[in-house]
Amino acid sequence: MDQSVEITLHSDISEISEGDWNACACPEAGDGRRAFDPFTTHRFLAALETSGSVGPGTGWDARHVVARMGGQVIAVAPLYVKSHSQGEYVFDHGWADAYERAGGHYYPKLQCAVPFTPVAGPRLLTLPGLEDAGKRALLAGMEQIASGAGVSSVHITFCTEDEAELAADVGWLHRIGQQFHWINRDYPSFDAFLGELSSRKRKALRKERQRAQAFGGEIVQLSGDDIRPEHWDAFWAFYQDTGSRKWGRPYLTRDFFDRLHEMREDVLLVLAMNGPRPIAGALNLIGREALFGRYWGCVEDHPFLHFELCYHQAVDYAIAHGMKRVEAGAQGEHKLARGYLPVATHSAHWIAHPGLRRAVSEYLEAERAAVDEDIEILTEMGPFRSPSEPER
């Protein structure tokens, strides 16, 4: 690593000034506009820490990396010491099991990520103009930290393709996964989007929306000051229900949602209201170009309401606000029928033990081929009409 670059570790993001962090994480927001990625901003990561969602007792212990050149912060990365593989969405449980069976200790490991957030975006955050030097310094620094601490591995998850390829150039392993995103092709309305679907899929989605919206109440979209503290009380009940069923226990604390209220101008809550009472809701964060669906929950079950709040309402919002895409989170081939198409996601992995590294490398080579084929097949299976099918 370039000796003119100093690497430091920080166990609390408050040790790094918000200005220094955001100059690397979201320099485009310096003009008062939205960040492209709200999840790597200083205030979002700080909300996770101050709310106790990450930190002691959670298995996510902060070790954020800062690179300085001549005393100036040129690059930062959100880094955590992990004692488990929960809340990551890039699954390495099989790697851990194999290494443990062979007598190794897979945990602790280092995770460069936004906790509980399967949203792709930059992880090696640099000052504009110092991208190459900053990213290389962070990669080299993480390797040195891992080697010095004797941890098994370092994982950079949901990074950009360019970051994964740069890491691969210096010896890391490149992993590819997939998600489903809705892409806005400058649609003037939801009906215009439906017009690009096959006749059968178009009719099915219209019927689905009609049934969902007939649940007996109204659906509202709230952002900014329209979001009130009592809405978070309702959403906490939704989140607890979903979290207990999916993960055994929710990852986020109640206090996190109070802190999210402080950044409510970047939040879209879609609520199904039965009179004055919210009975279901979807939580989205708003980026400069994309809407990011994060959490859903309900206290009453109604047909297709989940799809309406999470997917169709998100598309409505994206069209109305000229957003380029909707990213609706991890997994879920059911999104395909609703116009969300598969896209590749990327991660990079440094593994200390040569034997484990070799085995993982072979596995990833086969996995990449399978994912590429899966994306191709799923895209062909998508709901969009073929060029030969006339509009109706």
Side-chain angles (χ1 to χ4, degrees), residues 69-383:
M69 183 181 293
Q72 181 186 22
V73 173
I74 65 164
V76 298
L79 187 69
Y80 301 86
V81 179
K82 291 297 304 297
S83 59
H84 53 65
S85 291
Q86 298 169 13
E88 298 168 4
Y89 302 94
V90 177
F91 301 110
D92 63 347
H93 301 92
W95 307 356
D97 291 343
Y99 196 46
E100 297 282 344
R101 286 198 304 271
H105 296 286
Y106 193 73
Y107 305 106
K109 63 176 184 175
L110 296 177
Q111 193 82 20
C112 179
V114 179
F116 328 122
T117 307
V119 173
R123 297 291 177 262
L124 307 177
L125 311 170
T126 63
L127 280 182
L130 293 172
E131 289 86 355
D132 188 68
K135 291 175 183 179
R136 290 183 183 277
L138 292 172
L139 289 169
M142 284 190 273
E143 284 188 39
Q144 288 188 1
I145 293 160
S147 297
V151 302
S152 70
S153 51
V154 189
H155 309 267
I156 307 175
T157 46
F158 293 102
C159 61
T160 66
E161 183 175 8
D162 287 346
E163 288 173 335
E165 289 177 348
L166 176 62
D169 286 343
V170 296
W172 293 49
L173 303 179
H174 183 182
R175 189 175 193 181
I176 296 177
Q178 73 168 45
Q179 287 184 345
F180 294 87
H181 296 175
W182 182 85
I183 305 301
N184 190 355
R185 301 173 182 172
D186 295 324
Y187 300 116
S189 65
F190 194 91
D191 277 343
F193 156 61
L194 288 181
E196 293 203 357
L197 306 187
S198 69
S199 176
R200 182 172 62 87
K201 294 294 186 182
R202 183 164 59 247
K203 290 176 182 177
L205 289 191
R206 281 184 175 140
K207 184 177 180 180
E208 179 174 285
R209 294 203 76 177
Q210 289 170 357
R211 289 195 63 188
Q213 293 174 6
F215 73 96
E218 66 170 334
I219 295 171
V220 297
Q221 295 184 356
L222 305 176
S223 187
D225 289 340
D226 290 335
I227 300 175
R228 300 188 301 274
E230 59 265 30
H231 293 134
W232 294 116
D233 292 333
F235 197 84
W236 174 244
F238 305 154
Y239 175 72
Q240 282 187 300
D241 176 70
T242 302
S244 62
R245 286 185 286 108
K246 280 191 173 184
W247 315 302
R249 66 174 182 84
Y251 293 134
L252 301 171
T253 65
R254 176 64 182 85
D255 186 53
F256 172 80
F257 293 97
D258 288 336
R259 296 180 186 280
L260 199 57
H261 184 68
E262 298 170 6
M263 56 185 87
R264 58 193 177 276
E265 72 276 8
D266 290 335
V267 172
L268 172 68
L269 273 182
V270 182
L271 298 177
M273 307 291 294
N274 186 350
R277 176 174 172 255
I279 55 95
L283 168 63
N284 308 264
L285 264 74
I286 307 168
R288 183 179 288 198
E289 296 182 346
L291 185 68
F292 303 99
R294 290 305 302 118
Y295 299 106
W296 139 270
C298 65
V299 293
E300 292 182 13
D301 291 320
H302 294 275
F304 303 113
L305 194 57
H306 168 256
F307 300 135
E308 175 66 24
L309 298 191
C310 294
Y311 308 134
H312 304 318
Q313 289 285 324
V315 168
D316 281 341
Y317 184 90
I319 291 172
H321 292 82
M323 311 197 84
K324 292 184 177 180
R325 65 190 185 279
V326 177
E327 299 188 18
Q331 306 170 316
E333 290 188 9
H334 58 275
K335 298 169 187 170
L336 188 67
R338 292 158 183 90
Y340 290 69
L341 294 180
V343 299
T345 60
H346 301 271
S347 58
H349 308 267
W350 179 89
I351 297 175
H353 191 277
L356 179 61
R357 173 187 168 78
R358 184 166 53 252
V360 169
S361 178
E362 292 172 357
Y363 169 79
L364 292 183
E365 185 175 355
E367 185 187 51
R368 281 194 296 271
V371 170
D372 287 342
E373 182 179 7
D374 201 29
I375 289 175
E376 183 177 351
I377 292 171
L378 288 170
T379 301
E380 291 176 357
M381 291 171 55

Side-chain angles (χ1 to χ4, degrees), residues 18-100:
E18 185 171 8
D20 283 342
W21 184 278
N22 286 344
C24 299
C26 53
E28 73 283 352
D31 59 3
R33 298 171 67 192
R34 295 190 194 277
F36 285 112
D37 182 353
F39 302 101
T40 53
T41 61
H42 190 280
R43 66 176 182 171
F44 186 86
L45 296 170
L48 289 172
E49 293 184 19
T50 54
S51 68
S53 300
V54 303
T58 68
W60 290 84
D61 292 321
R63 295 293 187 276
H64 304 306
V65 188
V66 175
R68 290 179 174 85
M69 183 181 293
Q72 181 186 22
V73 173
I74 65 164
V76 298
L79 187 69
Y80 301 86
V81 179
K82 291 297 304 297
S83 59
H84 53 65
S85 291
Q86 298 169 13
E88 298 168 4
Y89 302 94
V90 177
F91 301 110
D92 63 347
H93 301 92
W95 307 356
D97 291 343
Y99 196 46
E100 297 282 344

